[in-house]
Amino acid sequence: MKKHLGETLRYLERLVSYPTVSSDSNRLMVADLAARLEDAGARVELLETPDGKKANLFATLGPDVPGGIVLSGHTDVVPVADQDWTSDPFELREVGGALFGRGTCDMKGFIAAATVLAPEFAKQQLRRPVHFAFTYDEEVGCLGARALVPALQERGIRPAMAIIGEPTGMQVIEGHKGCCEYTVRFSGLEGHGSAPHRGVNAVEYAVRYVAELMQLRGELMMRAPEDSRFEPPWTTINVGRITGGVAHNVIAGKAEVDWEMRPVQDGDAAFVKTAMQRVVDTELLPMMRTIRPEADIVTEVVGEVAGLQVMAENAARDLLASLLGANGADVVPFGTEAGLFQQMGMSVAVCGPGSIEQAHKPDEFLRIEQLEKCLDMLLGLARSRVLLQDPR
């Protein structure tokens, strides 16, 4: 175990040194992972974006048969700009048993552990495959996983289970909310601020749009399922950004609103989208176009990622519980790529080292004891009947 831990710490240091912020390329990190997995005997495929800037990695150890398990993680990290770090975020630093650096818990710690243990999986007489799925752009709408899933389906790859290594404190998670992200662009008519009635102020209409979103918050609270295990138990709405205008004395011709919702149930997403489209079509746009017929409101879907639905039968959840000695599983409000794999027909659970409380913050950290628990779990998986039993 000490050997694996030391090697994992060294490899995590290497992975953290790659500044894989979602706005930048992940190719250097993916190439590093590919080389290491190939050295372990894995069959590796890189699935590039059309511009070649980024790539998903999908690697397999063991026989080319249906079933087996996917170990999944995302390679991208959130930005560090305007965050007050006490050290270089892309240099791993250990203090008092904590590993500081961007992406340590979210989620390069899990990726490092899984990759370092690839030779241990390769040593086994695997009867079912172990897949490694490392994606791009999870933080901006699960874009990589949304491209990977259909690619796997086209290739006829049908794993039975998936473990998503997001930071859960090594607790087994069987369900989470969905995540739907949108950018709404308002086009009005600029003019002099002294005559606001002659223009169409895009910022004003953006504010009205946001006010309608806030009104829906209360209605969503009333729609919360009685048996909801989430905290909070209802679908949430958050407005992340409003921009527009150029100066105090100019009628704003352009504005944008970035917002998201986290649905507890599928019907809530449709409820919100239908309500907002009705406001746009029957109230906002008619008012804007009385002055400028070309005025417009356009909604861009950044991402609509399904939640992880709690299932009565979930082999991945049960496997993790047995490996960790856990009693039961929980749900979380944050989103992951898990729902996309579930839609492929897999049993899926989320479990990984670190706490979501440290993710996305300055001085993000991962405790070494969490990494040890993750290594123990993965070593147990490598020797489990799930992978060693005859698939016939």
Side-chain angles (χ1 to χ4, degrees):
M1 177 57 163
K2 289 184 178 179
K3 170 192 171 184
H4 294 311
L5 178 60
E7 192 175 356
T8 303
L9 291 173
R10 289 189 292 274
Y11 197 51
L12 178 57
E13 181 178 23
R14 186 175 178 87
L15 296 185
V16 169
S17 73
Y18 294 113
T20 52
V21 176
S22 303
S23 58
D24 300 323
S25 176
N26 73 337
R27 293 304 300 269
L28 290 177
M29 177 175 165
V30 166
D32 193 322
L33 291 165
R36 185 145 188 146
L37 288 167
E38 285 175 343
D39 287 345
R43 304 182 295 279
V44 179
E45 184 176 8
L46 299 183
L47 297 91
E48 300 179 352
T49 55
D51 61 7
K53 184 178 177 182
K54 301 180 183 181
N56 288 321
L57 179 152
F58 191 78
T60 302
L61 288 166
D64 184 14
V65 297
I69 193 161
V70 176
L71 301 177
S72 173
H74 62 81
T75 61
D76 62 316
V77 297
V78 296
V80 298
D82 300 322
Q83 290 190 337
D84 187 17
W85 285 73
T86 57
S87 61
D88 186 334
F90 298 110
E91 288 186 10
L92 192 70
R93 177 172 61 100
E94 180 186 345
V95 179
L99 304 166
F100 290 86
R102 173 55 86 219
T104 48
C105 75
D106 189 19
M107 54 183 300
K108 293 181 178 181
F110 178 81
I111 291 175
T115 305
V116 165
L117 289 185
E120 293 298 322
F121 284 98
K123 287 178 185 177
Q124 309 302 317
Q125 297 296 316
L126 295 173
R127 301 285 185 162
R128 297 179 186 270
V130 179
H131 304 287
F132 301 80
F134 300 144
T135 59
Y136 62 85
D137 286 358
E138 186 271 350
E139 298 289 4
V140 290
C142 296
L143 305 185
R146 287 161 58 192
L148 178 64
V149 165
L152 297 182
Q153 292 173 320
E154 289 173 6
R155 289 160 172 76
I157 298 173
R158 301 188 302 278
M161 290 181 274
I163 296 173
I164 315 300
E166 290 277 7
T168 68
M170 292 305 297
Q171 301 299 305
V172 183
I173 300 302
E174 64 176 337
H176 65 66
K177 296 181 181 182
C179 183
C180 303
E181 299 177 331
Y182 307 94
T183 294
V184 186
R185 297 183 174 90
F186 300 78
S187 301
L189 177 63
E190 291 185 340
H192 198 282
S194 64
H197 60 289
R198 294 180 179 174
V200 179
N201 194 317
V203 168
E204 291 183 7
Y205 284 95
V207 170
R208 295 184 188 188
Y209 184 95
V210 169
E212 294 293 338
L213 282 175
M214 297 303 96
Q215 181 69 28
L216 284 173
R217 274 182 169 177
E219 296 182 43
L220 289 169
M221 292 173 67
M222 301 300 295
R223 289 172 59 93
E226 291 185 3
D227 59 350
S228 177
R229 294 163 57 193
F230 292 103
E231 177 57 40
W234 53 81
T235 293
T236 58
I237 291 176
N238 179 66
V239 177
R241 183 181 69 98
I242 303 177
T243 61
V246 295
H248 294 78
N249 59 351
V250 178
I251 298 170
K254 302 287 184 182
E256 289 187 0
V257 174
D258 289 344
W259 66 281
E260 65 154 30
M261 62 175 158
R262 307 267 175 158
V264 169
Q265 51 195 351
D266 291 339
D268 284 355
F271 169 74
V272 171
K273 290 194 294 182
T274 299
M276 292 310 299
Q277 193 60 50
R278 182 170 58 249
V279 168
V280 168
D281 292 340
T282 65
E283 298 180 31
L284 302 184
L285 271 180
M287 294 172 66
M288 296 170 74
R289 288 175 174 172
T290 57
I291 298 173
R292 189 185 188 218
E294 298 82 10
D296 207 358
I297 300 173
V298 177
T299 298
E300 174 192 352
V301 179
V302 177
E304 292 180 328
V305 180
L308 176 61
Q309 301 298 312
V310 175
M311 308 295 289
E313 296 184 8
N314 185 329
R317 173 199 62 202
D318 297 343
L319 172 62
L320 283 169
S322 67
L323 293 172
L324 294 165
N327 293 319
D330 206 348
V331 299
V332 291
F334 62 84
T336 77
E337 297 169 332
L340 294 166
F341 290 105
Q342 189 178 59
Q343 288 180 335
M344 282 185 67
M346 298 185 215
S347 295
V348 186
V350 185
C351 181
S355 169
I356 197 66
E357 294 301 318
Q358 274 74 58
H360 298 193
K361 295 180 180 178
D363 290 338
E364 175 184 345
F365 69 86
L366 169 66
R367 295 202 174 277
I368 293 177
E369 62 186 27
Q370 285 281 301
L371 204 54
E372 290 177 316
K373 288 182 180 180
C374 182
L375 288 167
D376 281 340
M377 180 270 288
L378 291 171
L379 284 169
L381 175 63
R383 299 160 187 155
S384 69
R385 292 182 57 203
V386 168
L387 297 176
L388 303 182
Q389 66 184 355
D390 196 319
R392 289 173 296 179

